[in-house]
Amino acid sequence: MASIDLDKMLVKIKSSQWALADIDWDAPGADLITDEQWPKLKAFMADLMWIEHVGARAFAAMAKKAPTETLREIYTYFHAEEQRHANAEMALMKRWGMLDGDEIPEPNINLRLVIEWLDRYADEMPVYVLGTVVPMLEVALDGALCSFLLETVDDPVCHAAFQKINDDESRHLGVGFTVMEMQGRSKTFIQLTQMVAPLLDPRLILGIASYFPLLNKMRDNIMEMGLPEEKLYNAMRKFEKIGGRTADGRRNPWFQIISRHGRFVINRNNRFYHAPVDALVKVTQYIPRRALPAVPSWVKELTYRPAA
Amino acid sequence: MNTPSPSAKKPAKTGGTRKAPVKRPSVKAVAKPVSVLIIGAGFAGLGMAIQLQQAGIRDIVILERADAVGGTWRDNRYPGAACDIPSNLYSYSFAQNPNWSRSFSGSGEILDYIHYLVSHFNLAPYIRFKQNVTGLNFDENAGLWHASIEGGDTVRARAVVMAQGPLSNAIFPDIAGLEKYKGHTIHSARWDHDYDFSNKRVAVIGTGASAVQIIPELVKQAGFVKVFQRTPGWVLPRPDFETPEWNKALFRKFPGTQDALRKALYVTHESMALAVIWNSPLTRIAERIGRLHLRRQVKDRWLRRQLTPDFRIGCKRVLLSNDYYPALQQPNCKLVTWPIDRLSEQGIRTAEGIEHQFDCIVFATGFDVCKTGTPFPITGLGGRALHDEWARGAQAYKSINVAGYPNLFLTFGPNSGPGHNSALVYMESQLDYAVRGIQKILDEDLKMLDVKADAQAAHNKAIQARLANTNWNSGCKSWYLTEDGHNVTMYPGFATQYALQMRTLDEADYRRTPMAGG
């Protein structure tokens, strides 16, 4: 994957828009979901939908901090596109009878904590922090989850929807890796050190405290659904491989931090990492939902309806 | 609405000894050339006619393409339309109105004031309605402008004043599928007063100066309103009050008190230049006021984020409203910030994949401000075309004359726009300047009064250097700038500076060609 021209990419993004109305959600094939698949798929789709939605909010934060007008506009579109993916995935859930009326599926507690963090602090984060974490999430979670889904579900409408979603995602990753390289380019040692400084920011530390358990929790959920653990780890290695393909990319300290963290995650034997994070996962399950503030209003924008 | 009965003060003018009778000049090609042709019967055109008349020049024709006077205020009659500058300042100093019903009057009252100007100054005989000018050509042998009119007529004139207005041509946004939408469409500047909004699903595209006035009214009338926003603007509180009767009586009885208020408003607005035009500590204060206004009126964090501007205040037009934010939070209103992908048969498709369906779409998307062209072809000396010369951005000398186009005067010309004060204050300076130029042409019997190209170039070099340090050129996209970021609309300074610039007509900057033997 070579570095891309962002102006041309913006034109491409604008000309590649699609809508839920482009898909026939009532087409035959819904019955291809087996009774055995159904409950697991319901939980899986809910997680997937929420990850897309969380990604959308992260792109919204990146748009605020984008260093150029072109990137600002690209991230504004990516914000909307991730929302579109979440909407389309909800439409699939509706098609498969997995939605209770018009209710939005409940996010798991770790997602809920990430939503809360994004709502409060994401806009304050420098663009290179989210600019590295988001491609990681897209490659690792989105990528692994989507490919698993398409391998296990035969419904043609699901395949049609994910063909469109994956086309969008490939553009998101192209831009993501290009920006990571831009952030590492021509930086002095001092500038690179300054990029690491937010690690001392208590707001970011809170973010890390919600991000680490989310990854482990998702890993556990995915395993439960039957996705081979190795698939997830391959996706994480992909992040390290593509992000580190150029000297500029490798010079980005946030790439180094996130990819090294990726290595911790995929090394089950690293008890030094997994013991405390798994403990955090357990602890977070005891947080009473009542203790959390009301979900932010951006969550209420989700819909499975093609027309409003 | 009160019928205005402004206290008109006739400005003392000297130098005009011509006693041409007021008669209806013919518009036929064979007719004798007129002294002055004014294109447009809005604030600028009518103000020009009044000032020329005061200077003793009455051989005037005003060509108006519509069938009524009023320009912007005739066209912009959407619900809630009002001025953003206090009425006591948004009116001519030589025709003040003691009866403004509010501090910021609505469009109907402003239009009444314009009608008052026509009747009080007896301007009707000059005006020819439904005369759409399609081209202007300068005949350098005769020293006359030829104005071609749709339908074949021509008017010849010694001098022409362009008063067609910067905000006269409504534009629709460049959105794919615009022609596909089958519901009702309305442009804010061409309001459909017969359309019944009750129980209708309505979209408003745009959140600029017109939109923030329309939306609160539409929310009261329509079933559901969705507002499509691309960039949130800075919204400041609008100190709008009803004028008590005693106040009107005071102004009527002691006009000096209204003069004093006008001067106070003028000085207050001048001080706003420090916040709006240049980046100063006052800019921070103005932004803080904007943020406080938003915080006070919008409690939801996400909505507040959607409405928080990400550019410096002043870079785009500052909006004034007390009821825009509350309207957006009504149960029958929703702000949509997803990028618009296209229009479909039934509504608007946005990038989050949803088709928002409507009975009616209101385009509050502004005007074509002619930054890189002219409203119709204008041909000057040696066949030069102003449209071509302005293709990369309009420029003029002191905003009013253009080299190579003698005897032509622009109102609201390039770099004459105010960001902080009344446009009519700037207008009065332009009218005075044009009167001086036209007097010179007529009194000295000049074939051509043409500004020198080097004087124009020097003026623009200085203006552009000053613009580089203003908030307008601080990085946002706005209708003040051309596609390549050139600012050809705004004047980088105080209104007082602009008035000083326009106070003298420097003969050394002009080439004068006498009629005889020219």
Side-chain angles (χ1 to χ4, degrees), chain A residues 20 22 60 119 123 297 306 308, chain B residues 300-301 305 349 351 353 355 357:
Chain A
L20 265 62
D22 296 339
D119 189 49
D123 292 340
S297 57
Chain B
D300 181 72
R301 195 161 43 201
R305 182 189 187 277
R349 282 191 180 188
E355 180 171 300
Q357 297 180 343

Side-chain angles (χ1 to χ4, degrees), chain B residues 89-240:
Chain B
L89 198 53
Y90 192 76
S91 46
Y92 281 128
S93 64
F94 50 81
Q96 292 192 43
N97 173 15
N99 296 324
W100 293 115
S101 67
R102 306 190 65 82
S103 35
F104 293 83
S105 296
S107 64
E109 202 172 348
I110 297 172
L111 191 58
D112 284 348
Y113 171 75
I114 294 174
H115 283 290
Y116 158 78
L117 293 177
V118 174
S119 66
H120 182 79
F121 292 97
N122 193 25
L123 304 178
Y126 304 129
I127 307 169
R128 300 285 172 268
F129 291 112
K130 295 192 171 179
Q131 301 288 308
N132 189 22
V133 176
T134 55
L136 271 180
N137 281 283
F138 189 67
D139 173 356
E140 46 197 285
N141 293 321
L144 288 175
W145 280 100
H146 291 237
S148 314
I149 299 163
E150 199 175 294
D153 279 346
T154 305
V155 173
R156 293 180 300 153
R158 298 283 302 277
V160 173
V161 178
M162 296 279 286
Q164 79 286 358
L167 308 180
S168 53
N169 292 322
I171 50 164
F172 287 87
D174 183 20
I175 299 176
L178 203 56
E179 69 295 339
K180 284 196 181 142
Y181 176 65
K182 289 191 171 157
H184 197 67
T185 57
I186 299 176
H187 192 284
S188 56
R190 305 281 180 272
W191 199 257
D192 180 353
H193 292 276
D194 297 327
Y195 188 76
D196 180 11
F197 284 96
S198 18
N199 300 318
K200 298 280 175 29
R201 292 182 63 83
V202 182
V204 178
I205 298 181
T207 51
S210 304
V212 300
Q213 296 181 340
I214 293 170
I215 291 159
E217 297 304 314
L218 272 187
V219 167
K220 288 178 204 160
Q221 296 173 28
F224 200 92
V225 178
K226 278 190 186 175
V227 177
F228 289 80
Q229 170 190 277
R230 187 167 56 182
T231 315
W234 284 100
V235 182
L236 297 182
R238 182 182 178 88
D240 188 17

Side-chain angles (χ1 to χ4, degrees), chain A residues 14 17-22 57 60-61 64 72-73 76-77 79-81 83-84 87 116 119-120 123 297-298 301 303 305-308, chain B residues 201 226 230-231 300-303 305-306 308-310 334-335 337-342 349-358 475 477:
Chain A
K14 286 184 178 177
Q17 293 299 307
W18 55 276
L20 265 62
D22 296 339
R57 180 63 184 83
K64 282 261 180 203
R72 190 196 63 74
E73 213 177 331
T76 304
Y77 269 92
H79 171 207
E81 289 180 349
Q83 181 84 2
R84 179 166 71 208
N87 288 340
E116 200 52 39
D119 189 49
R120 285 186 182 276
D123 292 340
S297 57
W298 46 270
E301 303 252 331
T303 178
R305 295 176 197 277
Chain B
R201 292 182 63 83
K226 278 190 186 175
R230 187 167 56 182
T231 315
D300 181 72
R301 195 161 43 201
W302 178 245
L303 182 60
R305 182 189 187 277
Q306 288 176 302
T308 302
D310 56 5
K334 184 171 166 53
L335 179 71
T337 56
W338 305 114
I340 292 178
D341 171 34
R342 62 186 59 246
R349 282 191 180 188
T350 40
E352 94 286 23
I354 306 303
E355 180 171 300
H356 304 263
Q357 297 180 343
F358 302 102
K477 272 187 186 171

Side-chain angles (χ1 to χ4, degrees), chain A residues 4-17 69-78 81 171 175, chain B residues 477:
Chain A
I4 51 175
D5 178 330
L6 293 176
D7 289 309
K8 284 184 186 158
M9 177 54 92
L10 178 58
V11 174
K12 173 83 181 151
I13 291 164
K14 286 184 178 177
S15 64
S16 310
Q17 293 299 307
E69 180 59 26
T70 305
L71 255 185
R72 190 196 63 74
E73 213 177 331
I74 286 177
Y75 287 145
T76 304
Y77 269 92
F78 285 0
E81 289 180 349
R171 283 188 289 273
V175 171
Chain B
K477 272 187 186 171

Side-chain angles (χ1 to χ4, degrees), chain B residues 367-441:
Chain B
F367 306 88
D368 179 6
V369 188
C370 270
K371 295 184 288 279
T372 56
T374 51
F376 41 76
I378 299 177
T379 312
L381 296 178
R384 61 203 296 169
L386 193 53
H387 189 275
D388 295 340
E389 293 191 48
W390 281 4
R392 288 185 61 81
Q395 59 163 290
Y397 170 77
K398 293 186 178 180
S399 82
I400 200 161
N401 295 123
V402 186
Y405 301 85
N407 310 353
L408 180 71
F409 297 86
L410 314 176
T411 61
F412 286 126
N415 299 111
S416 66
H420 67 288
N421 213 322
S422 169
L424 294 187
V425 168
Y426 286 66
M427 177 57 57
E428 286 194 27
S429 303
Q430 293 163 32
L431 300 182
D432 285 347
Y433 193 95
V435 167
R436 277 196 296 278
I438 292 167
Q439 277 179 324
K440 199 166 275 299
I441 293 166

Side-chain angles (χ1 to χ4, degrees), chain A residues 159-176:
Chain A
H159 283 259
F162 273 91
Q163 183 162 3
K164 289 179 184 295
I165 291 173
N166 286 338
D167 283 350
D168 291 344
E169 295 292 2
S170 66
R171 283 188 289 273
H172 294 192
L173 284 176
V175 171

